Amino acid sequence: MNAPASRGGFWTVLRAQLRTGWLAPTVWIFALAGGYAATVAAVNGLYGTPAQLAGYNDTVAADPAMAAINGTPYGADTLGGVVSNEFGFIAAIAIPLMGLLLVVRQTRTQEERGMLELLRSRGVGIRAPWSAALLTTTIALALVGASMTATLLAFGEDLPGAVTYGASMAALGLVFAGIAVFAGQLFRRGAGITAIGIGVLGAAYITRAVGDVRGSGWKWLSPLAWQQETRPFTDDLRLWPLLLSLGVAILLVAAGLILVDRRDLGAALFASRPGPARGGGTLRTTPGVAVRMQAPTAAGWIAGAAVIGLVFGAFTGDIADAIASNPQLAASFPDPADANASYIGLSLLLIALMSLGVLGQGLSRTRAEESEGRLESVLARAVSRPGWSSAQFLTSAVTATLTLIIGGAALELTAGDTVDGIPAATLAYIPAVLLVAGIAWVLFGLLPRLSALIWAVVGYVAFVAFLGETLKLPDWALNMSPLYAVGTVPVDEVSAQSEWVLTVIAVVLCAAGIIGFRRRDTPR
């Protein structure tokens, strides 16, 4: 490879990426900026006086449950600190995913589809797509951080804290963008890179939670802790954790751009192993193929849910000890009379959201079979459309349900006998999970080009779960979330009527998706 070919074509690729991929970063920017602005406005209305802010700080400052889920609430006696805590879970998941997915979408995904091969044939260097994707992602993250800073300033926060907070959020996203660039040279498939990134995010979340609850140094292994340790809304504002995030991001990007010269287009440093010459008996059946397609991704989600259940269940004793030493902490839980049950309810909510992530990735994998041209050859054989789509749907639904059940079982295992009814509470979320599965299949069957909207559905459910009541959303908006319709179990009593309604809607949506797929053109 000659040097000019290795370096050229950056602006050509950048223009192409902006022309064809502008929608994804735009959606991320407006969703995060709008959600954050709404949260700041709502919190300002709830805690508008110094006395109210001081009361909030007294409630959450020593609350291990809030520390596990949202992070240590530094500066919770200020508006910015309260918002940082309330928006903490959403930001800890959405910002890293934004950095990760925007890079993967414009690089390895395009490479798999053969688009980069066309660009390379016009003298575009091998580093150009990665550099262009990184630039657009950096700009998008910077705009998100700037919007957060502007919102805080508009509500009267000090300039240093507001700027540090926005910059730390952008830097957090850049760390995961760097992970995408680095892992993109090691693994050939975009789905594999995404799985690696989500795995790193899960590990970062768990180590941060353990470190915050137990006060250990484990949290310094987590980029999420680097962001919160900037402490932007305290008198102890720190810039060195921000520099740590930027330094790690730069190292990851530099390593990735060096390694990209060490591999061939369409290949990776870790070569894919050739499969057997003949498929096993299960691969000769439509359900067997569906399971083989979705099993690797599902296994990662199931393992993650099990770890979350084990770790968060083990924190139950810390909750009891904290309340024994400070009874006022119980007021921060949905049911002050049974804080342990409230904490288990929040933990189950996290696991239920992970099961929805299984559905999102399952739909993305199924849609890729069609958009990348593999489905046509399958349907050209003696494979019926309803049979194929039913196998895909059932595989996604079953793996999502297993994620929920195994996560709940792990939670029960380490929580012990401190809370009764964890298995029943876990099963209560199954109809809600199946309803989201039905939405996924309606999108695939009737609106395949809008299949990515399943992630908007998952995001909305998470938004309602953690910010719906804080923002005082109207009842109709809250009830649009199937998890909210179930309630915070085991604290709330489960309504049999709600469970049946969710189940019936899920069945109708599933049938509509399968019928729609049978009648529409392929590919579409």
Side-chain angles (χ1 to χ4, degrees):
M1 180 185 303
N2 57 47
S6 177
R7 294 192 296 266
F10 171 81
W11 298 110
T12 300
V13 176
L14 181 61
R15 285 193 297 270
Q17 289 185 0
L18 292 175
R19 186 169 59 250
T20 61
W22 61 271
L23 182 60
T26 302
V27 170
W28 277 108
I29 292 168
F30 278 96
L32 287 171
Y36 187 78
T39 304
V40 174
V43 169
N44 186 60
L46 290 173
Y47 305 99
T49 67
Q52 290 171 327
L53 290 171
Y56 180 92
N57 183 63
D58 292 340
T59 301
V60 304
D63 187 348
M66 292 299 103
I69 295 171
N70 295 331
T72 302
Y74 293 119
D77 55 351
T78 67
L79 175 63
V82 175
V83 174
S84 178
N85 186 55
E86 294 292 329
F87 201 71
F89 177 79
I90 299 293
I93 302 301
I95 296 290
L97 287 181
M98 177 183 176
L100 174 73
L101 296 178
L102 288 182
V103 172
V104 173
R105 184 175 182 272
Q106 292 290 4
T107 52
R108 266 301 183 179
T109 300
Q110 301 302 322
E111 195 167 337
E112 287 182 62
R113 294 174 178 173
M115 299 303 295
L116 294 190
E117 188 173 4
L118 294 175
L119 288 174
R120 290 292 307 282
S121 68
R122 300 179 63 87
V124 171
I126 195 169
R127 291 195 183 100
W130 297 90
S131 300
L134 186 63
L135 177 61
T136 56
T137 302
T138 300
I139 293 173
L141 289 167
L143 289 174
V144 170
S147 71
M148 292 177 170
T149 297
T151 300
L152 290 169
L153 292 175
F155 280 85
E157 277 296 322
D158 293 336
L159 180 63
V163 172
T164 302
Y165 180 80
S168 67
M169 283 296 177
L172 173 62
L174 285 176
V175 171
F176 283 82
I179 290 172
V181 174
F182 180 72
Q185 318 315 321
L186 305 180
F187 303 97
R188 191 166 66 91
R189 296 288 185 185
I193 300 166
T194 301
I196 292 295
I198 292 175
V200 172
L201 177 58
Y205 188 85
I206 291 170
T207 53
R208 195 273 309 148
V210 172
D212 282 337
V213 173
R214 298 289 168 82
S216 70
W218 281 104
K219 67 180 180 180
W220 290 108
L221 297 175
S222 170
L224 303 179
W226 306 341
Q227 184 277 320
Q228 74 175 21
E229 286 298 327
T230 57
R231 306 184 184 187
F233 306 109
T234 69
D235 294 333
D236 186 27
L237 186 149
R238 300 173 173 181
L239 293 180
W240 64 264
L242 171 62
L243 298 177
L244 176 61
S245 296
L246 292 174
V248 170
I250 291 171
L251 287 175
L252 288 168
V253 169
L257 293 181
I258 291 172
L259 291 176
V260 73
D261 260 340
R262 307 291 196 272
R263 68 174 179 86
D264 294 328
L265 185 67
L269 295 181
F270 292 160
S272 301
R273 293 183 301 172
R278 296 177 62 86
T282 57
L283 294 181
R284 298 172 188 172
T285 65
T286 302
V289 173
V291 171
R292 179 65 182 85
M293 283 172 49
Q294 300 190 32
T297 300
W301 283 104
I302 291 172
V307 173
I308 287 289
L310 291 171
V311 172
F312 277 65
F315 290 157
T316 308
D318 296 88
I319 304 297
D321 293 342
I323 293 175
S325 61
N326 184 6
Q328 292 181 344
L329 286 180
S332 65
F333 291 94
D335 183 5
D338 194 350
N340 280 334
S342 297
Y343 169 72
I344 291 298
L346 293 173
S347 301
L348 273 178
L349 194 57
L350 288 177
I351 294 170
L353 289 172
M354 294 184 72
S355 70
L356 301 188
V358 176
L359 297 173
Q361 283 211 289
L363 177 59
S364 299
R365 183 70 178 87
T366 304
R367 174 60 181 163
E369 290 297 298
E370 180 178 10
S371 62
E372 295 175 13
R374 293 186 290 272
L375 180 56
E376 287 179 278
S377 60
V378 172
L379 296 179
R381 306 185 60 162
V383 176
S384 70
R385 283 170 171 258
W388 186 87
S389 58
S390 298
Q392 296 291 333
F393 169 79
L394 288 174
T395 301
S396 292
V398 169
T399 52
T401 303
L402 283 175
T403 301
L404 178 64
I405 292 174
I406 291 174
L411 190 65
E412 164 84 3
L413 181 65
T414 52
D417 56 359
T418 55
V419 177
D420 295 327
I422 295 178
T426 302
L427 297 178
Y429 278 123
I430 290 179
V433 171
L434 294 179
L435 188 145
V436 176
I439 294 174
W441 232 245
V442 163
L443 289 172
F444 180 75
L446 301 178
L447 303 167
R449 294 183 180 178
L450 299 179
S451 294
L453 286 179
I454 188 60
W455 291 111
V457 173
V458 175
Y460 181 79
V461 172
F463 186 81
V464 169
F466 288 96
L467 292 173
E469 295 185 355
T470 299
L471 299 180
K472 294 185 176 181
L473 295 178
D475 289 342
W476 64 266
L478 294 173
N479 289 323
M480 285 179 64
S481 167
L483 296 187
Y484 184 86
V486 173
T488 305
V489 288
V491 176
D492 298 334
E493 184 176 349
V494 178
S495 167
Q497 180 180 359
S498 297
E499 295 283 288
W500 278 110
V501 169
L502 292 172
T503 302
V504 170
I505 294 175
V507 171
V508 171
L509 290 174
C510 173
I514 292 174
I515 293 172
F517 176 70
R518 180 183 180 184
R519 294 182 176 181
R520 70 173 173 85
D521 294 334
T522 305
R524 179 179 167 188

